Amino acid sequence: MFRERTSVGLDVHARSVIAAAIDGQTGEVFKARLAPAHGEVLAWVSRLPGPLAVVYEAGPTGFGLARALTATGVRCEVAASSKLQRPAGDRVKTDARDALHLARLLRLDGVVSVRIPTPTEEAARDLVRAREASRQDLMRARHRLSKLLLRHGIVYADGKAWTELHDRWLRRQRFASTATQAAFDDAYETVILASARRDRLDEKITTIAEGSEFTAMVHRLACLRGISNLTGFALAVEIGDWDRFTGAGIGAYLGLVPSEHSSGQSRSQGGITKTGNTHVRRLLVEAAWHHRTPYRPSVVLRRRWERATPAARVRAHAGNQRLHSRWVNFNLRKKRGVVANVAVARELAGWCWSLAVLPDD
């Protein structure tokens, strides 16, 4: 419930901050155009009638301003842009109107806030997302190289691609055209560099995952099939505070629940909503495929169990059994594999939550 005297809305951009404030006692509206420096924003806010609360939209400028305001004792909310309410008939959009609209929503408790990560969480999240970007770059580079060969009728057929044997086969390729050879050499070099970049980031993530505040949670999450240390670390830092969810609600946060448009007696459901964190959703969907095969704890999985608490091992064992049984039921019902896998991923999110909130002792 809004209890402060003044509500402040900020429309934050890289080179400017448009501010609007509403005094709840006098009804006076204050407006200003500020530089993006935190000091200037704090100085303007400090001159307003207090106590006050501030809100701005989540965006590429990050959470530095929110942390600076909070450090001075000012309540600051970072609004989820996709949840902001706007009148249907509003056809004029300016920075000043947006700032004033935010101030009004804050006063009416109409702002859905995002969680502000700690500096440690944000730094770890930057590293995880750099690794995700390197994975995507490597995939694109491999596709370019393989399609270049395909256009010239060259197809690898001696086993799995992108192995050491495949790499030796690639190095033996020669072309009569100098231009084609130069294009191939460039594409191959791009693959090598992208692969080395990904491996370097993997090593850094592995080191941090084994000696940070996320270590215990990573060990618990890695007790589930399909979740390695890298995946567990990504889940831990991307979601952050697991206590704000429930086992039944985390699937909706990650966009793994069906969309729906129902009215009156009609009910229509469509594909999954795909809202929330795209990276976490992809990781869970990939991990869910591992539960399709019969559940026999491998040597690698048992080694992961040894690093977790007995309660986590018991919980994960039950989860692995349950998720495989879900796959068996879907196969008996002739469900499409991709549809069944998303359903398993939704339930896997709930099992991850149960392990994440499990006490360490």
Side-chain angles (χ1 to χ4, degrees):
M1 181 179 296
F2 187 82
R3 295 184 176 88
E4 291 81 3
R5 172 177 175 175
T6 305
S7 60
V8 183
L10 302 177
D11 195 62
V12 182
H13 297 276
R15 295 179 175 84
S16 66
V17 175
I18 309 301
I22 303 174
D23 188 336
Q25 292 186 6
T26 65
E28 186 177 0
V29 176
F30 306 89
K31 296 182 180 180
R33 184 182 184 89
L34 309 170
H38 295 171
E40 184 169 342
V41 176
L42 293 175
W44 183 81
V45 168
S46 65
R47 295 193 294 268
L48 297 173
L52 52 86
V54 181
V55 62
Y56 68 92
E57 289 186 53
T61 54
F63 301 100
L65 179 57
R67 295 193 185 103
L69 288 165
T70 303
T72 62
V74 176
R75 180 168 72 91
C76 182
E77 304 289 339
V78 181
S81 302
S82 61
K83 300 289 186 179
L84 287 178
Q85 302 175 9
R86 189 174 296 277
D90 191 355
R91 294 292 187 270
V92 179
K93 183 185 184 304
T94 64
D95 292 345
R97 289 170 67 94
D98 287 346
L100 187 59
H101 182 60
L102 285 171
R104 288 171 178 162
L105 286 178
L106 180 61
R107 179 166 294 278
L108 297 172
D109 292 321
V111 172
V112 178
S113 303
V114 301
R115 177 181 175 270
I116 300 176
T118 65
T120 303
E121 289 176 348
E122 193 168 19
R125 189 179 297 176
D126 288 339
L127 179 59
V128 166
R129 292 181 179 180
R131 199 272 178 187
E132 174 68 7
S134 70
R135 183 198 65 83
Q136 294 175 349
D137 292 341
L138 176 58
M139 180 180 65
R140 294 189 187 100
R142 286 174 170 177
H143 284 174
R144 293 190 191 103
L145 178 59
S146 62
K147 299 311 178 282
L148 172 64
L149 295 174
L150 182 60
R151 288 195 298 272
H152 292 274
I154 304 173
V155 179
Y156 181 70
D158 293 332
K160 188 176 180 180
W162 311 115
T163 60
E164 184 177 352
L165 184 62
H166 181 233
D167 184 67
R168 289 199 296 267
W169 176 83
L170 287 172
R171 292 198 299 268
R172 292 197 299 267
Q173 302 305 312
R174 296 292 181 270
F175 299 88
S177 171
T178 304
T180 304
Q181 185 65 47
F184 172 80
D185 292 341
D186 178 75
Y188 178 74
E189 181 183 8
T190 303
V191 170
I192 297 301
L193 293 177
S195 180
R197 174 191 168 200
R198 182 202 58 184
D199 294 341
R200 286 196 302 270
L201 290 171
D202 284 350
E203 292 177 2
K204 292 179 181 179
I205 291 176
T206 301
T207 302
I208 295 176
E210 290 300 325
S212 67
E213 62 185 75
F214 310 104
T215 301
M217 184 180 296
V218 171
H219 288 171
R220 294 197 299 271
L221 293 174
C223 292
L224 290 168
R225 283 206 298 175
I227 298 182
S228 63
N229 287 341
L230 292 176
T231 302
F233 184 76
L235 294 176
V237 302
E238 288 284 356
I239 295 181
D241 182 13
W242 294 74
D243 291 323
R244 57 198 171 120
F245 303 110
T246 63
I250 191 171
Y253 168 75
L254 298 175
L256 289 169
V257 297
S259 58
E260 183 172 349
H261 183 80
S262 300
S263 179
Q265 301 300 317
S266 65
R267 185 188 185 200
S268 175
Q269 287 187 310
I272 59 173
T273 59
K274 293 186 178 180
T275 58
N277 195 306
T278 304
H279 184 198
V280 173
R281 183 169 61 253
R282 182 189 67 80
L283 292 175
L284 290 174
V285 169
E286 288 186 355
W289 287 109
H290 291 260
H291 293 273
R292 191 174 192 175
T293 57
Y295 175 51
R296 300 184 184 91
S298 64
V299 175
V300 175
L301 186 59
R302 292 184 182 275
R303 288 174 182 169
R304 294 177 188 165
W305 286 356
E306 293 174 358
R307 301 179 301 177
T309 61
R313 292 198 297 268
V314 172
R315 187 66 178 161
H317 180 64
N320 290 330
Q321 289 179 319
R322 163 71 180 177
L323 293 170
H324 175 63
S325 67
R326 291 283 289 164
W327 259 114
V328 172
N329 292 334
F330 284 132
N331 290 334
L332 292 175
R333 292 161 54 189
K334 307 296 183 183
K335 280 284 187 180
R336 290 176 55 205
V338 290
V339 175
N341 188 65
V342 170
V344 174
R346 180 167 57 248
E347 189 162 337
L348 175 60
W351 284 100
C352 288
W353 171 85
S354 69
L355 286 168
V357 300
L358 204 64
D360 291 334
D361 50 358

